[in-house]
Amino acid sequence: MNMPDPQAFAATWMSQFADPTLWQGWMTAPQAMAPMAPALGGANPLAAILKDAGAGIPADKLEAIRLDYLKQAGQLWQDFVVGKRPALQDKRFSAPEWQDNPLSAFSAASYLLNSQFMLALADAVDAAPRERQKIRFAAQQLVDAMSPANFFATNPEAQKKLIETKGESLAKGLSNMLADMQKGRISQTDESAFEVGRNVGNSAGQVVFENELFQLIQYTPTTPTVKAVPLLMIPPCINKFYILDLQPENSLVRYVVEQGNTVFMVSWRNPDSSMGNTTWDDFVETGAIKAIEVVREITGQEKTHVFGFCVGGTIAATALAVLAARGQQPAASVSLLTTLLDFSDTGVLEVFVDETQVAQREQKLAKGGLMPGRDLATTFSALRPNDLVWNYVQQNYLKGKEPPAFDLLYWNADSTNLPGPMFCWYLRNTYLENKLRVPGALTVCGVPVDLGAIEAPVFLYGSKEDHIVPWEAAFASMELLNPKNPKANRYVLGASGHIAGVINPASKGKRSYWVNEKGGKGRPKTAAAWMAGATEHKGSWWPEWAKFLAQHGGAEVAPPEVAGNERYQPTEPAPGRYVKARAD
């Protein structure tokens, strides 16, 4: 393989840091190349980012970064000359092939050092927090993309595979890449291993209602008795509901049914062009409020547990606030999982939401049209590119491997569109202007919205490593809900991320969760104070939620003999046809 000459690279690259004149020029002259590609010399892509953002780096910080880099790079080169292998503390370079070849080890170590250098520059930028986060995000994207593991010429694992398979791995990799190009996305799992209704989304039940926006599923009871109060689950409309009903061993739906609950699920329709004018008000009125109405009519119960996950929780809470403004309190309890109501802290997603970007979306979609699910999927993949993009480039394309079967990743690839007007309203009024948290600042379905007017016990859940809904932001709902009755609110923190933290089956006993039993007026007011007094428990948080539902579930009664009622007759078996419509 044609590999860069390390001695020539070192002399060229290091000279730019030893010579202040060249160093200053490197910092101010954006070029097309990157320091992560040593054979191409020392050009600086970050300079262009800084120029676009109108930001700079203080001279003293710049000099400190330069000197630190010069010291570490010099030591790395000396170690290479004497044959000392560098320690590669990065899972991308954990395979023995990276250490077996001295040049590969040096390439990986140089990349890691240059990555550290680029991110140090981004962190040193003198700019407002939002701009600094954007610069850091852009630098991270560049750093991740330029890893030597992503290129055949610098990936010794892929090269060894080529030799071992006599070229078959490369041929298979090209075939995988061409197939993905036709699909318009990278394959993250063996999609042939799953089918909605067969081995995912296959909990027994019936569709008992549908309109142009959703189908309502009633699941078949499995216990001799059930709690009188039913449970309505409202999933995010950005993805399909069966994240809550994966394979049986991973199904939250199956779990709550087995706990003796009569469970209903909203299955949002995957929007097509006929839904291009659907609004946020439609999702609240024709979606969540209608679902609450139907559940109450079918069960004959005055109240129902209302569950919302992610944006489904935002829709559910908005619907309950609308009903409160109309003098109705239909919730026996409210459960919100990884849900934002206060959008002060939106984590890394903040880089995608500013006035310019929202205005561009509004100009294109506010009066009608669809936000393609493929675009949304690309955005979320960009939040974790090494795990959700480059890992599959390396495995599927460079090594010619087939991705293993994984139900969660099958669901992740089954994207949904969003109606343009609804999406634009959501971006502006929540992410950009954060109005939902302010009583009366928003009018939805013709009435002012006040989340504090919802009267029901509340269970809030956040995931400790969530990059979409930071757990502290999920905790912020503690101050918005039941402001005059703080003891009615309970917060539970789970391990892992946005999805894996939620889908943590009780039967597997994995991970852990945290609770803080201080309630009422004495409860911690901030997320940090809450965490300081929290106790960690091993295993799943699901039993904590099951106890909460049981506490507010009413008497034990006989389960319904059939789904629906005289007015709402079953029309097709679960999971229904809406969930099977694909965006691509």
Side-chain angles (χ1 to χ4, degrees), residues 106-128:
F106 177 77
S107 171
S110 298
Y111 161 75
L112 292 173
L113 177 58
N114 291 332
S115 299
Q116 177 185 324
F117 163 71
M118 287 289 291
L119 295 177
L121 290 177
D123 290 337
V125 168
D126 185 9

Side-chain angles (χ1 to χ4, degrees), residues 116-168:
Q116 177 185 324
F117 163 71
M118 287 289 291
L119 295 177
L121 290 177
D123 290 337
V125 168
D126 185 9
R130 181 184 288 265
E131 293 305 316
R132 187 184 299 113
Q133 186 178 36
K134 288 183 180 180
I135 292 168
R136 182 61 155 77
F137 181 81
Q140 187 70 63
Q141 295 291 311
L142 177 68
V143 162
D144 292 342
M146 294 307 298
S147 166
N150 299 339
F151 303 95
F152 189 86
T154 51
N155 187 322
E157 297 176 73
Q159 294 165 14
K160 182 179 179 182
K161 190 76 173 176
L162 174 71
I163 295 170
E164 290 176 343
T165 63
K166 299 179 180 180
E168 288 185 13

Side-chain angles (χ1 to χ4, degrees), residues 515-530:
V515 295
N516 187 321
E517 299 300 343
K518 265 189 183 175
K521 294 181 180 179
R523 77 157 192 248
K525 300 299 182 184
T526 66
W530 183 92

Side-chain angles (χ1 to χ4, degrees), residues 3-6 8-14 16 33-43 69 103 106-112 114 146-148 151 154:
M3 297 287 285
D5 176 7
F9 158 65
T12 303
W13 177 245
M14 293 297 293
Q16 302 189 57
M33 311 306 180
M36 277 66 73
L40 301 175
Y69 178 87
L103 204 54
F106 177 77
S107 171
S110 298
Y111 161 75
L112 292 173
N114 291 332
M146 294 307 298
S147 166
F151 303 95
T154 51

Side-chain angles (χ1 to χ4, degrees), residues 166-194:
K166 299 179 180 180
E168 288 185 13
S169 63
L170 182 59
K172 180 60 178 173
L174 289 172
S175 176
N176 290 342
M177 184 175 67
L178 290 172
D180 283 355
M181 289 174 67
Q182 288 184 328
K183 288 193 295 187
R185 53 185 166 81
I186 295 175
S187 295
Q188 299 175 334
T189 185
D190 177 7
E191 296 180 13
S192 66
F194 301 102

Side-chain angles (χ1 to χ4, degrees), residues 17-18 20 23-24 27 57-70 121:
F17 290 83
W23 162 247
Q24 291 298 330
M27 277 306 303
I57 302 174
D60 57 336
K61 291 184 179 180
L62 198 59
E63 180 62 9
I65 293 170
R66 180 182 78 90
L67 293 175
D68 180 64
Y69 178 87
L70 194 62
L121 290 177

